[in-house]
mmCIF file of all heavy atoms in Angstrom:
data_model
loop_
_atom_site.group_PDB
_atom_site.id
_atom_site.type_symbol
_atom_site.label_atom_id
_atom_site.label_comp_id
_atom_site.label_asym_id
_atom_site.label_seq_id
_atom_site.Cartn_x
_atom_site.Cartn_y
_atom_site.Cartn_z
ATOM 1 N N GLU A 41 -32.280 -23.117 -11.380
ATOM 2 C CA GLU A 41 -33.451 -22.281 -11.083
ATOM 3 C C GLU A 41 -33.192 -20.815 -11.466
ATOM 4 O O GLU A 41 -34.091 -20.102 -11.905
ATOM 5 C CB GLU A 41 -33.921 -22.446 -9.625
ATOM 6 C CG GLU A 41 -33.021 -21.917 -8.533
ATOM 7 C CD GLU A 41 -31.868 -22.879 -8.164
ATOM 8 O OE1 GLU A 41 -31.641 -23.878 -8.878
ATOM 9 O OE2 GLU A 41 -31.174 -22.591 -7.168
ATOM 10 N N LEU A 42 -31.927 -20.405 -11.356
ATOM 11 C CA LEU A 42 -31.593 -19.031 -11.759
ATOM 12 C C LEU A 42 -31.611 -18.891 -13.277
ATOM 13 O O LEU A 42 -32.032 -17.874 -13.825
ATOM 14 C CB LEU A 42 -30.204 -18.675 -11.260
ATOM 15 C CG LEU A 42 -30.136 -17.801 -10.013
ATOM 16 C CD1 LEU A 42 -28.717 -17.341 -9.766
ATOM 17 C CD2 LEU A 42 -31.040 -16.592 -10.203
ATOM 18 N N ARG A 43 -31.160 -19.934 -13.947
ATOM 19 C CA ARG A 43 -31.154 -19.919 -15.412
ATOM 20 C C ARG A 43 -32.583 -19.716 -15.944
ATOM 21 O O ARG A 43 -32.808 -18.970 -16.890
ATOM 22 C CB ARG A 43 -30.557 -21.240 -15.913
ATOM 23 C CG ARG A 43 -30.305 -21.292 -17.391
ATOM 24 C CD ARG A 43 -29.462 -22.492 -17.733
ATOM 25 N NE ARG A 43 -28.065 -22.267 -17.388
ATOM 26 C CZ ARG A 43 -27.193 -21.653 -18.207
ATOM 27 N NH1 ARG A 43 -27.578 -21.233 -19.376
ATOM 28 N NH2 ARG A 43 -25.951 -21.479 -17.833
ATOM 29 N N GLU A 44 -33.543 -20.360 -15.288
ATOM 30 C CA GLU A 44 -34.943 -20.195 -15.717
ATOM 31 C C GLU A 44 -35.402 -18.753 -15.545
ATOM 32 O O GLU A 44 -36.048 -18.171 -16.420
ATOM 33 C CB GLU A 44 -35.861 -21.106 -14.893
ATOM 34 C CG GLU A 44 -36.034 -22.466 -15.533
ATOM 35 C CD GLU A 44 -36.636 -23.477 -14.584
ATOM 36 O OE1 GLU A 44 -37.543 -23.103 -13.803
ATOM 37 O OE2 GLU A 44 -36.178 -24.627 -14.613
ATOM 38 N N LYS A 45 -35.023 -18.160 -14.402
ATOM 39 C CA LYS A 45 -35.407 -16.758 -14.170
ATOM 40 C C LYS A 45 -34.757 -15.840 -15.205
ATOM 41 O O LYS A 45 -35.360 -14.889 -15.693
ATOM 42 C CB LYS A 45 -34.986 -16.312 -12.765
ATOM 43 C CG LYS A 45 -35.823 -16.936 -11.655
ATOM 44 C CD LYS A 45 -35.445 -16.340 -10.311
ATOM 45 C CE LYS A 45 -36.153 -17.087 -9.204
ATOM 46 N NZ LYS A 45 -35.718 -16.793 -7.872
ATOM 47 N N VAL A 46 -33.495 -16.142 -15.531
ATOM 48 C CA VAL A 46 -32.774 -15.342 -16.531
ATOM 49 C C VAL A 46 -33.470 -15.455 -17.885
ATOM 50 O O VAL A 46 -33.715 -14.450 -18.568
ATOM 51 C CB VAL A 46 -31.297 -15.812 -16.630
ATOM 52 C CG1 VAL A 46 -30.639 -15.295 -17.899
ATOM 53 C CG2 VAL A 46 -30.512 -15.359 -15.411
ATOM 54 N N ASN A 47 -33.851 -16.685 -18.266
ATOM 55 C CA ASN A 47 -34.524 -16.880 -19.557
ATOM 56 C C ASN A 47 -35.817 -16.075 -19.628
ATOM 57 O O ASN A 47 -36.130 -15.460 -20.646
ATOM 58 C CB ASN A 47 -34.830 -18.364 -19.777
ATOM 59 C CG ASN A 47 -33.563 -19.144 -20.072
ATOM 60 O OD1 ASN A 47 -32.534 -18.540 -20.377
ATOM 61 N ND2 ASN A 47 -33.612 -20.451 -19.952
ATOM 62 N N LYS A 48 -36.545 -16.072 -18.522
ATOM 63 C CA LYS A 48 -37.819 -15.339 -18.497
ATOM 64 C C LYS A 48 -37.553 -13.828 -18.667
ATOM 65 O O LYS A 48 -38.190 -13.159 -19.481
ATOM 66 C CB LYS A 48 -38.546 -15.616 -17.178
ATOM 67 C CG LYS A 48 -39.862 -14.900 -17.037
ATOM 68 C CD LYS A 48 -40.711 -15.494 -15.916
ATOM 69 C CE LYS A 48 -42.044 -14.794 -15.800
ATOM 70 N NZ LYS A 48 -41.965 -13.359 -15.559
ATOM 71 N N ALA A 49 -36.557 -13.330 -17.916
ATOM 72 C CA ALA A 49 -36.246 -11.891 -18.005
ATOM 73 C C ALA A 49 -35.814 -11.535 -19.423
ATOM 74 O O ALA A 49 -36.219 -10.494 -19.967
ATOM 75 C CB ALA A 49 -35.155 -11.539 -16.998
ATOM 76 N N LEU A 50 -35.028 -12.403 -20.042
ATOM 77 C CA LEU A 50 -34.552 -12.108 -21.402
ATOM 78 C C LEU A 50 -35.705 -12.080 -22.392
ATOM 79 O O LEU A 50 -35.740 -11.255 -23.314
ATOM 80 C CB LEU A 50 -33.522 -13.153 -21.838
ATOM 81 C CG LEU A 50 -32.137 -13.017 -21.216
ATOM 82 C CD1 LEU A 50 -31.239 -14.189 -21.618
ATOM 83 C CD2 LEU A 50 -31.472 -11.708 -21.638
ATOM 84 N N SER A 51 -36.688 -12.975 -22.180
ATOM 85 C CA SER A 51 -37.795 -13.030 -23.135
ATOM 86 C C SER A 51 -38.654 -11.766 -23.059
ATOM 87 O O SER A 51 -39.411 -11.468 -23.974
ATOM 88 C CB SER A 51 -38.644 -14.280 -22.887
ATOM 89 O OG SER A 51 -39.351 -14.124 -21.670
ATOM 90 N N GLU A 52 -38.542 -11.024 -21.964
ATOM 91 C CA GLU A 52 -39.356 -9.807 -21.825
ATOM 92 C C GLU A 52 -38.642 -8.540 -22.307
ATOM 93 O O GLU A 52 -39.213 -7.458 -22.321
ATOM 94 C CB GLU A 52 -39.762 -9.643 -20.346
ATOM 95 C CG GLU A 52 -40.829 -10.667 -19.952
ATOM 96 C CD GLU A 52 -40.985 -10.823 -18.442
ATOM 97 O OE1 GLU A 52 -40.384 -10.028 -17.686
ATOM 98 O OE2 GLU A 52 -41.717 -11.748 -18.049
ATOM 99 N N VAL A 53 -37.379 -8.668 -22.705
ATOM 100 C CA VAL A 53 -36.628 -7.473 -23.130
ATOM 101 C C VAL A 53 -37.157 -6.974 -24.476
ATOM 102 O O VAL A 53 -37.368 -7.762 -25.401
ATOM 103 C CB VAL A 53 -35.115 -7.798 -23.258
ATOM 104 C CG1 VAL A 53 -34.370 -6.646 -23.907
ATOM 105 C CG2 VAL A 53 -34.530 -8.111 -21.902
#
Side-chain angles (χ1 to χ4, degrees):
E41 68 279 10
L42 258 189
R43 188 168 283 274
E44 270 166 39
K45 288 186 187 170
V46 164
N47 288 345
K48 179 164 181 302
L50 285 174
S51 70
E52 287 164 8
V53 171

